[in-house]
Amino acid sequence: MTDIVTDLSAVHRPVAEARGLPNAHYVDPAVFAEERDAVLYGTWAGIGFAKDVPEPGDAFPVDFLGYPLVMVRDRAGAVRVFQNTCRHRGMILVEKPGRLRGMIRCPYHSWCYGLDGRLVATPHVGGPGRNTHEAVDRDTLGLIEVRAHVWRDVVFVNVSGDAPDFAEYAADVMARWAEFDQPLYFGGPESAFTLDVATNWKLAVENYCESYHLPWVHPGLNSYSRLEDHYNIEVPGAYSGQGTLVYRQFRGADGGTFPDFAGLSEKWNEGAEYIAFYPNVLFGVHRDHAFAIILEPKGLERTEEHVALYYPAPDTDPELRAQNAALWKTVFEEDVFVVEGMQRGRHGAGFDGGRFSPVMDGPTHNFHAWVARHVTAARNKGLAAE
């Protein structure tokens, strides 16, 4: 537990009475570490995209707030996540994304692991030319595997190992978007980009899940998808966000469109939804494309936003995809000054967490309350163990 125990009682109150998370949750290193363990390691957090390990043998290392992980596509085609640490002397195994030569080889002493994590070779471990030793039991020295699940191409992990099964954890949002449970096709290099933002990762979640800011921050978007055309999405303990009733299907400069996802109900003809799936993944769905954003905390006051766009078919027009990605990049860049400004504002000692509009800020309060609940539960668990 951190020595700085913030008072979260006001966060737990109903939205009309509540205050937001105290400043320390955005600017204090000790509280940041506490949240890392309780919220990011203790639940199902997004660490990468399955698209980045497309073929068996592909590997992609991830530094998840100091915890070394590596995503690997195994021979059966499944994405698995292992601790990126050799069981011999703790060497980092995979330094850069790329194709493995059939196994994971430690560059230090050449201990080798299969794509399923099994330790399969220990050269000279018993002396020159002797590749076995009775004291080195390969069956017990495989890579440490981390619970992982892929949904909508996002690779989620539960570092602590004690969260509910992902199917239970995500049951509500899976049911809500059951119509979109069909193949997704990544749009290729022109359909991915990363924004490096000087903010705590939570502020990016808070901004994304509400439509209140649209008239002032996104005037172009608001010109046709107005504030009054939006509705709040709030599922306590799971996710929150916003929906629009007037999604305008994307059209290229020549009037071309993307194909629709198959079999959608009429709701999606002119509707779209944008959900912050706690803790750190943002999703958007439309009739003709979808996106996912992984918020990667790079420190207390820095976040990388990794954006990837997906389509209903594998052969969509590359020029159209590039135009669509450019449009979304413009929208997301418009938010940067807001989340960075809120981050700087959290250094104002007199700020008390702020108040919420009971009508407009429900999705944001829902997220604050979720963070507070997980932090409080971890504190109570720590006290019980003392």
Side-chain angles (χ1 to χ4, degrees):
M1 286 180 58
T2 175
D3 293 333
I4 300 175
V5 179
T6 52
D7 181 1
L8 299 177
S9 58
V11 185
H12 291 291
R13 296 173 187 161
V15 61
E17 307 167 15
R19 291 201 303 273
L21 292 164
N23 281 355
H25 286 260
Y26 302 87
V27 301
D28 186 89
V31 178
F32 180 72
E34 181 187 34
E35 280 190 350
R36 177 200 61 199
D37 294 344
V39 176
L40 293 165
Y41 290 176
T43 64
W44 286 96
I47 63 160
F49 299 101
K51 69 175 179 63
D52 292 327
V53 284
E55 301 293 336
D58 287 342
F60 194 99
V62 177
D63 181 352
F64 186 29
L65 282 174
Y67 196 105
L69 299 173
V70 60
M71 304 187 302
V72 177
R73 179 82 66 171
D74 70 15
R75 296 189 187 280
V79 176
R80 305 175 72 160
V81 179
F82 301 102
Q83 186 170 303
N84 193 13
T85 308
C86 182
R87 296 297 302 276
H88 177 213
R89 302 305 306 145
M91 178 68 179
I92 290 293
L93 294 165
V94 181
E95 290 282 4
K96 297 184 295 185
R99 179 70 52 83
L100 302 170
R101 295 184 176 180
M103 60 182 63
I104 304 169
R105 188 186 73 84
C106 179
Y108 192 11
H109 298 96
S110 211
W111 282 30
C112 297
Y113 304 84
L115 301 182
D116 58 1
R118 292 180 303 112
L119 178 60
V120 296
T122 50
H124 309 305
V125 72
R130 299 176 62 88
N131 298 332
T132 62
H133 192 283
E134 62 272 13
V136 180
D137 181 3
R138 293 182 185 174
D139 290 340
T140 63
L141 290 172
L143 296 181
I144 297 170
E145 188 161 9
V146 177
R147 293 175 77 195
H149 188 93
V150 179
W151 185 61
R152 301 194 64 78
D153 204 53
V154 174
V155 180
F156 293 88
V157 296
N158 172 225
V159 170
S160 70
D162 55 10
D165 287 344
F166 187 85
E168 177 184 349
Y169 185 82
D172 284 334
V173 70
M174 285 178 161
R176 184 184 190 97
W177 284 353
E179 292 179 77
F180 289 94
D181 186 15
Q182 49 187 293
L184 288 171
Y185 297 93
F186 173 57
E190 71 272 19
S191 294
F193 54 89
T194 295
L195 301 179
D196 194 339
V197 189
T199 192
N200 183 276
W201 66 276
K202 295 189 300 301
L203 290 172
V205 176
E206 296 168 28
N207 175 71
Y208 180 82
C209 68
E210 50 95 340
S211 60
Y212 193 5
H213 67 286
L214 292 182
W216 305 282
V217 179
H218 305 294
L221 185 63
N222 190 72
S223 67
Y224 62 89
S225 183
R226 302 166 301 166
L227 177 61
E228 53 266 41
D229 297 321
H230 288 73
Y231 55 90
N232 290 346
I233 299 170
E234 300 174 57
V235 179
Y239 61 88
S240 62
Q242 53 173 305
T244 180
L245 301 172
V246 293
Y247 168 63
R248 180 184 296 175
Q249 186 177 22
F250 180 79
R251 292 184 179 275
D254 62 355
T257 61
F258 297 114
D260 290 340
F261 286 99
L264 297 181
S265 60
E266 291 185 2
K267 166 184 176 178
W268 302 105
N269 288 349
E270 295 181 344
E273 289 190 342
Y274 308 96
I275 282 175
F277 181 59
Y278 308 155
N280 70 323
V281 181
L282 315 177
F283 288 114
V285 292
H286 318 79
R287 59 186 287 180
D288 55 357
H289 72 282
F291 62 74
I293 306 173
I294 297 173
L295 302 175
E296 182 185 3
K298 302 300 287 187
L300 177 59
E301 301 188 65
R302 180 176 163 235
T303 301
E304 287 188 354
E305 301 181 357
H306 303 285
V307 184
L309 287 90
Y310 299 85
Y311 298 91
D315 54 355
T316 49
D317 183 339
E319 184 175 346
L320 205 59
R321 294 196 305 264
Q323 293 172 13
N324 192 33
L327 173 65
W328 279 114
K329 187 176 183 183
T330 297
V331 172
F332 297 143
E333 286 176 336
E334 289 173 343
D335 289 311
V336 170
F337 89 96
V338 173
V339 295
E340 290 188 340
M342 287 192 291
Q343 181 64 37
R344 295 196 306 273
R346 292 307 190 276
H347 287 274
F351 185 68
D352 63 356
R355 295 297 298 270
F356 299 101
S357 161
V359 177
M360 304 303 299
D361 287 325
T364 303
H365 175 252
N366 198 69
F367 175 63
H368 280 241
W370 181 86
V371 171
R373 180 168 65 83
H374 280 277
V375 171
T376 299
R379 289 174 178 174
N380 291 340
K381 184 177 180 180
L383 289 172
E386 292 179 358

